[in-house]
Amino acid sequence: MPAAEALHLPGPVLTGPGSERPGAWVVGGRLTFERPRAASTTTLPGWVLPGLVDAHCHVGIGPTGRVEDAVSEAQARTDRDAGALLLRDAGSASETRWIDEREDLPRIVRAGRHLARTRRYLRGLAHEIEPEDLVEHVRVEAARGDGWVKLVGDWIDRERGDLAPCWPADVLRAGVAAAHELGARVTVHQFGEEGVAELLDAGVDGIEHGTGLRDDVLRAVAERGVAVVPTLVNIATFPGIADRGEPKFPAYAAHMRALHERRYATVAALHEAGGRVFAGTDAGSVLPHGLVVDEVHELAAAGLTRTAALDAACWSARTWLGHPGLQEGAPADLLVLDGDPRADLGVLRSPRVVLRGRLVRG
């Protein structure tokens, strides 16, 4: 059998936040640290990093709901070119399984479709249901997803004029238990303070946004290993949301501004408490795709070290989602950078992208 062509990565190869190897090769779409016998070799110099993770995005939806496949493809390609080669799709109204067959598009971990209360979420995105229907829908979405189910935990209650929890505590417990029985984890959209304790008591596995996490729950979130994806690039839209809502809902507007003002302090406090923080953009419904590097910079602005902010979108994030990084025999989904990203996050802005062993962005 003739020798295969190899891609030589002279490195350094960043195998972890504080570990590296001097070089690696890609043969047959997989990474190896043993010099191969190759018919020909192409060299790609630079710092090598696992493909980034956008742990909260939405491929297949736009501002009004599902989109055509061509739009979904463009969204996934935009994320890829920004360096995000593993996406956790935190709720989509579109069927995107066909993307799994495309070797030129990122890998996706899906959470089915959002489950929300009737008229308590953005129109066209969620299954809008009442509490008595939650367990049944959780079971359906657990089967549709890739080990995740997404609930909308709070949203504006127009009668109250402010954020309010969507689900009774007993219904939450039953819904989470149903997902766990099927081997799925549950993550929950949560903006406000009210209802977080009930989420923890129900045994949820993740909290999205988490702007209302206060000192009285932060330690419990950290101790229970609940993953938090702050989506800071999305939280930056809160002042505009407040401005639009203020004429009818002044209490809600003031609340959203307060959550925005303390966003960095909330993330810093969670990180200091030992919480599991991961990078996600919430791209899809309102925000454009391709913002993962912006989110890494936002985590650093919140007080995480450069390495910790990078880890939230890289090594730890991949482990959390059950996907390998730069390991012997792992799929060669990686970035090649012009400098060490642990010293300068700015080098993430211009990655050379290798996906499934092929250079797809040079």
Side-chain angles (χ1 to χ4, degrees):
M1 179 180 296
E5 182 178 359
L7 177 64
H8 181 211
L9 305 169
V13 179
L14 305 182
T15 55
S19 60
E20 61 184 65
R21 299 187 67 162
W25 289 262
V26 175
V27 181
R30 295 190 174 269
L31 193 73
T32 181
F33 294 99
E34 298 182 6
R35 183 185 296 273
R37 184 175 65 85
S40 62
T41 300
T42 301
T43 298
L44 194 61
W47 278 255
V48 182
L49 186 72
L52 298 178
V53 177
D54 187 339
H56 183 133
C57 67
H58 306 279
V59 175
I61 62 174
T64 60
R66 67 182 65 194
V67 297
E68 299 295 328
D69 286 354
V71 177
S72 299
E73 178 180 348
Q75 291 172 337
R77 188 184 302 110
T78 297
D79 285 326
R80 179 202 73 186
D81 289 348
L85 305 186
L86 177 61
L87 313 176
R88 187 179 64 144
D89 192 323
S92 179
S94 293
E95 175 53 63
T96 61
R97 288 286 171 191
W98 57 271
I99 290 177
D100 294 346
E101 306 302 319
R102 291 282 297 270
E103 295 190 353
D104 61 328
L105 297 178
R107 303 173 195 271
I108 300 182
V109 176
R110 297 170 183 81
R113 189 174 183 179
H114 305 74
L115 299 178
R117 285 292 293 273
T118 306
R119 299 188 64 196
R120 295 284 301 279
Y121 197 55
L122 299 170
R123 292 179 182 177
L125 302 189
H127 287 301
E128 296 189 15
I129 58 176
E130 288 304 294
E132 60 268 24
D133 301 317
L134 182 65
V135 169
E136 176 186 354
H137 276 79
V138 163
R139 289 180 176 140
V140 171
E141 296 311 307
R144 287 187 64 234
D146 298 315
W148 286 93
V149 172
K150 170 72 176 295
L151 307 183
V152 177
D154 73 344
W155 198 253
I156 186 171
D157 182 324
R158 288 167 176 78
E159 293 184 3
R160 180 190 289 196
D162 200 357
L163 294 169
C166 293
W167 311 101
D170 61 331
V171 172
L172 269 175
R173 286 194 296 271
V176 173
H180 288 171
E181 287 171 5
L182 294 171
R185 293 183 278 185
V186 177
T187 194
V188 184
H189 163 108
Q190 181 72 24
F191 280 162
E193 301 87 349
E194 187 179 356
V196 175
E198 286 76 12
L199 296 180
L200 297 178
D201 289 343
V204 301
D205 305 282
I207 294 175
E208 309 301 310
H209 317 300
T211 43
L213 299 180
R214 304 305 298 267
D215 291 345
D216 58 338
V217 296
L218 278 171
R219 188 164 298 280
V221 169
E223 289 176 349
R224 298 183 188 197
V226 176
V228 178
V229 184
T231 65
L232 289 169
V233 292
N234 176 48
I235 307 310
T237 68
F238 277 19
I241 294 172
D243 291 345
R244 292 189 293 275
E246 188 160 30
K248 291 181 66 174
F249 305 111
Y252 168 73
H255 196 177
M256 295 296 279
R257 290 190 184 104
L259 293 172
H260 174 263
E261 288 171 3
R262 65 172 187 262
R263 68 198 186 284
Y264 289 161
T266 299
V267 172
L270 178 62
H271 181 64
E272 286 293 321
R276 306 175 75 193
V277 176
F278 298 108
T281 65
D282 206 5
S285 61
V286 176
L287 293 178
H289 285 256
L291 299 178
V292 67
V293 176
D294 295 80
E295 184 65 19
V296 173
H297 278 82
E298 279 288 280
L299 291 172
L304 277 65
T305 65
R306 287 188 298 268
T307 299
L310 185 62
D311 191 33
C314 192
W315 306 283
S316 291
R318 284 182 162 273
T319 299
W320 169 56
L321 293 177
H323 283 250
L326 299 177
Q327 303 161 14
E328 180 69 34
D333 297 343
L334 55 90
L335 311 180
V336 181
L337 308 170
D338 291 332
D340 187 343
R342 299 167 300 182
D344 177 11
L345 294 174
V347 300
L348 296 171
R349 297 287 186 191
S350 301
R352 285 160 284 166
V353 178
V354 175
L355 181 62
R356 293 169 173 80
R358 294 174 51 242
L359 182 65
V360 294
R361 183 183 187 274

